[in-house]
Amino acid sequence: MSDKINKEIYTKLANRIYDLDGEVYRVLGSSLGRTFTGNRDTTIRTLSMMMYTKPDGHLLRSELALISNMARTIKDESERSRLMTEYDEILKEIEQLPNMFGSTDIIDAERVALNLAARREKISENDHLVICISRTQGSAGNDIGFELADNLHINYYDVEIFDQVLKRLEAEKGDVQDKENFTEFNKYGKKSHESFRTKLKELNRYHGLNKQDAVFFNMSDLICELARTEDCLIMGRCADAILKNNHIPHISIFISAPLQVRTQRVMDVRNMDMKQAVRFLKKMDKQHRKYYEFYTGEKWGKPENYDLCINSANYGIKETIDVIKRLLNQQTQ
């Protein structure tokens, strides 16, 4: 497929996404605002670039999830159906693009033959369906989580979406952005660029808490509120431990895969050589572990802490989703 044809396809899809966002906002008449607040031309270029630069495909996925989350709140059934049909068609076309999110699978054929069927479990019909997914880097956890949420018709939340939700709740992005604080998480590390006056200002602003702790507790409140009021799937953010400590029913899942399989997938998806991929995986897994264990006091990835631990390389993305759905005893509508 030529670059010219590629560009036309990306531009066409970007325009449809932009128009869908505007139509959802128009029908809702919501005070939440639109997902895309910039001018049309700039937004179209940005969306097209997200489709072109494959490693940033998760950013596009987050934008789409925001639109679908809002569309699902439309009370008029016919309007909701019309807009969700357009969303489904756009998503299907994007997933058919070469090397787009979810298209690079993770599967170990030799191990597939050894799999046993997962046992079925039921959750109370009186509770909201809340799924918390933790994952090792490169195990396709985000792809699995996004597609599972879409299959079950429930809202999807990851770090990019949480940042935008917090911003819409009139929090200052520079002060509460969870992604920034997770990436730079070093609870007791020295920060030479911060003066004593800056640290004191932070403590005063957050009622005696430092910035990282304030971000975590702010995020915890939001996660609990979501779990109490809607069906949703939450990626990471220590959501399983937060909900457990607040006695809120949920299903916790840990997704991983052998290092060599994850390494190959990262090499394919991010165009890295083996040395770069291994370094990247180890760095990100370390960050996840430090963050989780500091704020929860639990061992990250320890089987006893989850309802289901699954090796995604044994199944691949689609079959992993099916296994989880059997655990939930849910069927797609």
Side-chain angles (χ1 to χ4, degrees), residues 8-120:
E8 291 176 354
I9 293 174
Y10 296 148
T11 301
K12 181 180 178 181
L13 282 170
N15 274 283
R16 289 179 66 186
I17 294 169
Y18 185 87
D19 290 339
L20 176 62
D21 178 44
E23 187 67 358
V24 169
Y25 174 58
R26 183 191 68 78
V27 173
L28 272 176
S30 173
S31 61
L32 289 175
R34 296 183 60 166
T35 298
F36 307 119
T37 56
N39 66 65
R40 186 184 190 97
D41 290 343
T42 301
T43 303
I44 297 304
R45 284 197 297 272
T46 301
L47 289 171
S48 299
M49 186 58 65
M50 286 181 182
M51 284 182 268
Y52 179 74
T53 57
K54 308 306 185 298
D56 290 330
H58 70 286
L59 299 176
L60 174 64
R61 178 173 53 202
S62 296
E63 302 286 20
L64 288 169
L66 269 173
I67 296 172
S68 67
N69 288 355
M70 287 191 285
R72 290 190 181 98
T73 68
I74 296 173
K75 297 186 184 301
D76 186 303
E77 186 175 346
S78 63
E79 288 284 59
R80 184 174 65 249
S81 176
R82 176 176 69 86
L83 294 173
M84 286 306 299
T85 297
E86 172 66 1
Y87 165 79
D88 290 339
E89 290 176 355
I90 291 172
L91 182 61
K92 184 176 180 180
E93 289 192 32
I94 290 175
E95 289 177 336
Q96 290 174 347
L97 295 175
N99 301 319
M100 188 44 68
F101 52 78
S103 61
T104 303
D105 207 346
I106 178 164
I107 193 165
D108 186 337
E110 293 182 0
R111 295 176 63 89
V112 169
L114 302 176
N115 290 338
L116 298 175
R119 62 187 178 87
R120 291 177 177 268

Side-chain angles (χ1 to χ4, degrees), residues 49-265:
M49 186 58 65
M50 286 181 182
M51 284 182 268
Y52 179 74
T53 57
K54 308 306 185 298
D56 290 330
H58 70 286
L59 299 176
L60 174 64
R61 178 173 53 202
S62 296
E63 302 286 20
L64 288 169
L66 269 173
I67 296 172
S68 67
N69 288 355
M70 287 191 285
R72 290 190 181 98
T73 68
I74 296 173
K75 297 186 184 301
D76 186 303
E77 186 175 346
S78 63
E79 288 284 59
R80 184 174 65 249
S81 176
R82 176 176 69 86
L83 294 173
M84 286 306 299
T85 297
E86 172 66 1
Y87 165 79
D88 290 339
E89 290 176 355
I90 291 172
L91 182 61
K92 184 176 180 180
E93 289 192 32
I94 290 175
E95 289 177 336
Q96 290 174 347
L97 295 175
N99 301 319
M100 188 44 68
F101 52 78
S103 61
T104 303
D105 207 346
I106 178 164
I107 193 165
D108 186 337
E110 293 182 0
R111 295 176 63 89
V112 169
L114 302 176
N115 290 338
L116 298 175
R119 62 187 178 87
R120 291 177 177 268
E121 294 284 352
K122 293 184 178 180
I123 62 172
S124 170
E125 294 181 357
N126 297 320
D127 297 322
H128 286 287
L129 174 58
V130 180
I131 305 170
C132 304
I133 294 184
S134 299
R135 74 288 186 203
T136 54
Q137 192 72 30
S139 62
N142 287 77
D143 298 281
I144 291 165
F146 176 80
E147 191 166 335
L148 176 62
D150 201 61
N151 280 193
L152 298 174
H153 306 298
I154 64 176
N155 289 340
Y156 170 89
Y157 296 98
D158 61 13
V159 63
E160 271 77 17
I161 295 177
F162 275 132
D163 287 342
Q164 294 201 41
V165 170
L166 287 171
K167 184 180 180 182
R168 291 179 182 200
L169 293 174
E170 300 182 344
E172 295 180 10
K173 190 176 180 68
D175 291 325
V176 302
Q177 189 177 51
D178 192 40
K179 180 180 178 183
E180 173 191 19
N181 284 277
F182 171 76
T183 303
E184 301 300 326
F185 181 74
N186 188 4
K187 179 66 178 178
Y188 295 116
K190 293 182 179 180
K191 297 183 178 180
S192 57
H193 63 283
E194 287 188 355
S195 66
F196 176 76
R197 179 177 294 181
T198 299
K199 294 178 180 178
L200 184 60
K201 183 178 179 181
E202 271 190 3
L203 290 174
N204 289 333
R205 178 165 200 160
Y206 297 117
H207 309 289
L209 296 174
N210 62 46
K211 179 178 177 180
Q212 289 174 334
D213 287 346
V215 169
F216 179 78
F217 291 123
N218 196 13
M219 184 68 59
S220 298
D221 288 342
L222 177 56
I223 287 172
C224 290
E225 178 63 18
L226 291 171
R228 290 188 180 107
T229 57
E230 66 181 54
D231 295 346
C232 59
L233 187 150
I234 303 171
M235 296 299 305
R237 326 314 326 138
C238 304
D240 56 327
I242 291 168
L243 297 182
K244 177 183 176 182
N245 291 338
N246 285 275
H247 309 290
I248 300 175
H250 63 285
I251 300 293
S252 59
I253 300 170
F254 190 86
I255 299 173
S256 190
L259 179 61
Q260 64 269 26
V261 181
R262 295 191 288 132
T263 300
Q264 185 58 57
R265 186 170 193 272

